[in-house]
Amino acid sequence: MEKLRRTMLYVPGNNPAMIKDIYIYQPDSIMFDLEDSISLAEKDSARFLVSEALTNVDYLGIETVVRVNGLDTEFGLADLECIVKAQPDVIRLPKTETSEDISEMEAIIARIELENNIPVGKTKMFAAIESAKGVLNAYSIATSSKRLVGIALGAEDYVTNLRTNRSPEGIELLFARGQILNAARAANISAIDTIYSDIENEEGFRREVEHIKQLGFDGKSIINPRQIDIVHEIYAPKPKEIEYALQVIAAIQQAEKENSGVISLNGKMIDKPIVERAERVLQLAGINDMEQSDGR
Amino acid sequence: MKLNKRAIAGTMTSSDVMIEVIPWGKTSEINIKSDVEKQYGDQILDLINSILRENDVDNVCINVVDKGALDFTISARLKTALFRAAK
Amino acid sequence: MEDRYDINELLKEKGTFTGIDKSKRKKNKVRSLKYVIDALDIKDGMTISFHHHFRNGDLLADMVLELLDKKGTKNITIFPSSLTTAHDHFGQYIQSGLISRICTSGIRDRLGEDISSGMLDTPVIIRSHGGRARAIESGEEKIDVAFIAVAHSDVNGNANGFEGVSPCGSLGYSMVDMKHADKVVVVSDLITEEITIPFSVPSYNVDYVVKVEKIGIKEKIMSGATRLTTNPKELLIAKRTADIIEALEIIKENFTFQTGTGGSSLAVTRFMRDKMIEKKIVADFALGGITGHIVRLHEEGLVRKLLDVQCFDLDAVFSLKNNIRHFEIDASFYANPENPGCVVNKLDVVVLSALEIDRNFDVNVMTGSDGILRGASGGHCDTAAGSKICIVTSPLVRGRIATVKDKVLNIVTPGSTVDILVTDHGTAVNPLRKDIMALLKEKKIPIVSIDTLVEMAEKIVKKPNPIVYGDKVVGVIEYRDGSIIDLVKQVI
C-alpha cells in the first residue's frame, strides 16, 4: 500500500536542537531543508549537519526527506554529493519546472549511488512545483521517473509568479491544486499541498486542511509540529466509516474463503473502488499497524 | 586534508557547538569548553581526534565551545570548519 | 486536708488596683531592625528563620544577616523555607563564620556550588515543605527568631502579604514559624497606624514590627514561565499529560489537582480547561503555588477554591486579595505528614517535574547531573505521597543530559509514590500501578516501559563519565517524615 503522507514536517537543516529529536512529533515524513531556510553562508554547515543526522540519529522509521538546492545553483550538486551517501529515503527537488529537471537530478543521484555501493534506484525523489510553467508541466513531471513518489505544490513562489497573493479561501490556487492533484493521481504518486504559514491562526489552518482533504490531497507540508495533530485529526476517518470499511474487508475475506466471485454487503455489490476506499480508510485509521504501535 | 586558513562553524545556542580551526606549524592542540565537560569532556576529545585522523589533519589548533551538542552535531560542525579551512 | 483559700495571699500576690494612666500605655511594637537585633541578642547556636515568598526578590534575609555579620555574630543556624538566587552570595556569611548550619528546601546557583564544594562543615538539611512544617511543630527544630517579610503591617504586627507597594501574596510558609518561634519579627515597607484587615499574621504572634525602605522586589516572585508556552516539545508533553488525566477519568465533578509552574505544567492546565468546559465539569480545588492561569480557571467558575501556600505571579497575588475563595493556607495544612487532614492527601492528581528520574521511578529535584545542588525539594515528595495519582513530566533529554536514567544521583521523592512518567519520547507507568496500566491500555494510550525510556536516552546522549565525589557529606535529604532518604556528597 502507498505510504501515508498526511504531514511532511519542515525542519531547518542548520538547527541541531530541532534536528536531534524532531521524530517525537510523529509526522508521516520529516523534511530537512537545505534550501530556503538556510542562508547562503551556512549552506555547507546545514549540509554536513543533515548528513551526520541521517547517519547517526534513529528517526524511528519515519520517512526522511531532504530538500536540496536546485541544480541551477552552486549548491545543488554539492548537496547531492553529501546527502545521497547519507541515504535519506527521499530527495526533494525545489522549483521543478520540467521533466528534464528530474532526469538531470536522477542521473546524478544514480551516479552517486553507484559510486557508494547503494542499490541504484533506492533513493526516491519528490518534486515541488512552484511556478506556472511547473504547474502546466505537472503530468510530465509526475511521470518523469520511477523514483518519483510524489509532487507537491509550493504556493508562495507560485502566487507571485501568477501576480496575485494568497487568500484565506485559496481561490487563486484552485487551478494549480487541481492540476497537480490530477497529475499525481494519473501517475499514481502522492500529492502534497503547500504550507500554511500563519501558525497562530488555527482556525484558518483547519479550514485549509479540510479544503485540501476534500480536493483529494494526501496531505500537507507543515512548518510547525503544532500543526501535526490538527491534520491527522482531520484526516482521521469517522467511526462509522471505519466500521463500514471493516465490514467491506470482512466481506471480501469471506468471499475469498468461499471462492465466490461476487462480493456483496447488505445486499449491495462491492466493487473495486469501494474496496480501495475501505483500505484507505483503514490505513488512515491506523488499523493495520495497530499491533506494532509502540506509541513513540 | 590540507588546511589553508582559520575557520569557524556552529553556534553557541543550546544543543549546538562552535568549533574554530586554526592551522599552525606545531603540534596539534585541542581546547574544549563544555556545559557537560565533567560528564562528556573525554568523549568529545576522542571524537574530535578521530575525525582529525580520518581526514589526515595535523598541526592544528581546535577551540571548542560546546553547549550540550550531541555527537552528530559535533562531528558535523568540525567537518564544516575543516571544509571551510581547506578552501 | 486542703488549706482554706486565703484571700489575703491572693491580694498580696496579685496586687490591688491603684488606677491607670492611659498615656503611659505601650504605644506599639515598631522598632528599627538594628534595635531588634540587639534586643533579641542573637548569638552562638541560635536559629533564625526566613521565608521565600518573595522568591528571587527577597531582600530581608540579607538585611538581617548583614547586620549580624557586622556585629560579629558567629555560629548561627539559618532556617529559611527556601533559598533562591537572591541568596547567591551567602557563601560570604559562611566564610565569615556567621552561618554554621543551614536548613532549607531549595539551594541553587552559586550558593549551591559553594555548598557542594564543601564550604560548610555541617551538612545542609534539606526538607520538603511538609517536612519543614512537621519539624517545627514536633519541636525537632526550634526557631529562636522568625523574621517575616510582609507587604503590609500595622504598628502592632497584624499583617498580610497582598497589600502595599511590594506585595508577594500568600505567607503560607511563615504562618507555621510565627506560631512556634520564640520571637517573631514582622518586617515591611508599609506600616500603618490603622489596623491591617484582613491579616494573615495576627499581632498576638508578633513581638516586633520593623519598617524598612523596601521589603522585596515584587516582580521577581515569578517562578519559571508565566506565559503560555509555544515550545512544541512542552506542548507535546502537556497534551499527552492532559490526555492521560482524561483517560484515567480524573476529570469528574469536584475533582482536585495541583499542576505547578513551568512551561509544560501551565499548558497542562490549559488543556485540562478545554476538557472541563467540554464535559461541563467544575473542580473542587486547585492547590499549591498558584499562578494567574489557575486564577483564570477560578474566575471562569471552573475551579471552586484555590488553596494557596505561595503565589507564583502578580495575578495570583491580586486574586488572593480579591477573591474570597482564593484562600491562604499554611505549610502544615498544606503538607505536614503528621497532620492527617493535610490537604495534599485530598489531591486527585498532581503534575510534577524532575531533574532526574530512574528505573525505580525515584525522582531527583535537588542535584544536577553533575551532582551539584541546584534545586528544591519543595512540595514534590509531599504531593507525590498524598495524591491519588502522581504524574511526573519531563523531556527525555535536556541538551546532552539524560533526564531518565539508570539511577538518579540523589533521591528526593521515592519511586513508590510516583505513578506515571510522561516524556516527549513516550509514557511509562510504574509497574506498581497495575490499575493505571490496565486503564490506559484500555483507552489505547500508548505506553512504553521505563527501561525502554532509559535505553532510548542513553542511546541518544551516550554513557556519561561518573561524577567524582569527595568523602564529605554536604547535604542530608530528609523525607517528609523526618527519616533520611539520601545524602548529598561533596563534588570535586
Side-chain angles (χ1 to χ4, degrees), chain B residues 7 9 11 14 17 25 36 39-40 48 53 58 63-64 67-68 72 75 81 85:
Chain B
T11 71
S14 175
V17 58
V36 290
Q39 297 95 320
Y40 292 103
I48 288 174
R53 267 197 309 276
D58 224 335
N63 296 314
V64 177
K67 295 289 171 187
F72 84 88
S75 173

Side-chain angles (χ1 to χ4, degrees), chain C residues 19-320:
Chain C
I20 184 161
D21 182 352
K22 275 175 85 168
S23 66
K24 285 189 178 157
R25 191 174 52 193
K26 267 187 198 163
K27 244 167 68 198
N28 59 43
K29 298 176 185 167
V30 179
R31 303 288 183 275
S32 73
L33 189 57
K34 184 157 184 336
Y35 174 92
V36 169
I37 281 171
D38 290 340
L40 290 175
D41 190 24
I42 296 166
K43 56 176 187 282
D44 257 42
M46 278 192 171
T47 296
I48 61 175
S49 77
F50 305 101
H51 312 90
H52 67 294
H53 304 118
F54 276 99
R55 306 191 65 83
N56 295 337
D58 179 60
L59 299 173
L60 179 60
D62 188 57
M63 280 186 233
V64 172
L65 291 178
E66 195 185 355
L67 280 175
L68 287 171
D69 205 31
K70 276 197 186 132
K71 275 185 70 171
T73 311
K74 304 282 176 210
N75 289 327
I76 60 161
T77 294
I78 59 165
F79 190 26
S81 53
S82 198
L83 292 169
T84 66
T85 48
H87 315 111
D88 233 11
H89 58 291
F90 278 16
Q92 74 188 64
Y93 300 128
I94 295 171
Q95 281 170 327
S96 73
L98 169 62
I99 298 173
S100 61
R101 182 168 171 264
I102 299 176
C103 305
T104 181
S105 155
I107 195 157
R108 39 172 73 86
D109 300 313
R110 210 169 85 209
L111 185 59
E113 286 168 24
D114 287 344
I115 300 291
S116 280
S117 73
M119 185 190 271
L120 193 61
D121 284 332
T122 317
V124 173
I125 309 290
I126 291 150
R127 290 192 181 90
S128 70
H129 292 328
R132 182 178 189 273
R134 179 202 53 74
I136 295 170
E137 291 189 342
S138 68
E140 185 183 311
E141 288 284 353
K142 177 163 177 319
I143 300 169
D144 293 296
V145 185
F147 290 92
I148 304 180
V150 302
H152 175 204
S153 173
D154 63 30
V155 290
N156 287 307
N158 296 300
N160 67 43
F162 46 74
E163 293 178 328
V165 285
S166 309
C168 63
S170 174
L171 301 176
Y173 301 116
S174 62
M175 289 160 94
V176 181
D177 299 33
M178 74 190 183
K179 291 181 199 140
H180 297 274
D182 232 24
K183 296 287 174 191
V184 173
V185 183
V186 154
V187 188
S188 184
D189 50 15
L190 176 66
I191 292 173
T192 57
E193 200 62 50
E194 297 75 27
I195 292 178
T196 312
I197 295 289
F199 53 76
S200 320
V201 181
S203 62
Y204 55 76
N205 278 331
V206 177
D207 297 283
Y208 292 104
V209 175
V210 171
K211 180 162 187 340
V212 293
E213 200 168 308
K214 192 166 177 61
I215 186 60
I217 305 162
K218 65 178 182 200
E219 290 77 16
K220 291 196 183 174
I221 70 167
M222 292 189 189
S223 160
T226 52
R227 222 164 44 88
L228 267 181
T229 181
T230 54
N231 178 325
K233 193 176 280 186
E234 289 177 347
L235 286 170
L236 178 78
I237 293 172
K239 176 141 197 316
R240 281 188 187 165
T241 306
D243 286 347
I244 283 164
I245 291 173
E246 184 183 28
L248 293 174
E249 291 163 10
I250 293 167
I251 304 179
K252 294 187 298 215
E253 190 65 17
N254 287 329
F255 81 106
T256 62
F257 68 95
Q258 175 167 339
T259 46
T261 58
S264 279
S265 298
L266 292 179
V268 169
T269 311
R270 194 193 72 183
F271 289 126
M272 276 172 62
R273 173 181 175 271
D274 295 345
K275 294 182 196 289
M276 287 164 75
I277 292 170
E278 185 191 312
K279 294 172 194 279
K280 299 195 169 61
I281 298 281
V282 176
D284 185 41
F285 70 76
L287 174 64
I290 299 293
T291 62
H293 298 277
I294 303 275
V295 166
R296 229 148 290 141
L297 262 62
H298 176 56
E299 291 177 348
E300 287 174 340
L302 293 170
V303 179
R304 270 187 258 283
K305 306 155 194 163
L306 305 182
L307 307 185
D308 187 349
V309 72
Q310 88 181 107
C311 295
F312 279 138
D313 58 31
L314 294 174
D315 287 351
V317 175
F318 192 71
S319 162
L320 180 65

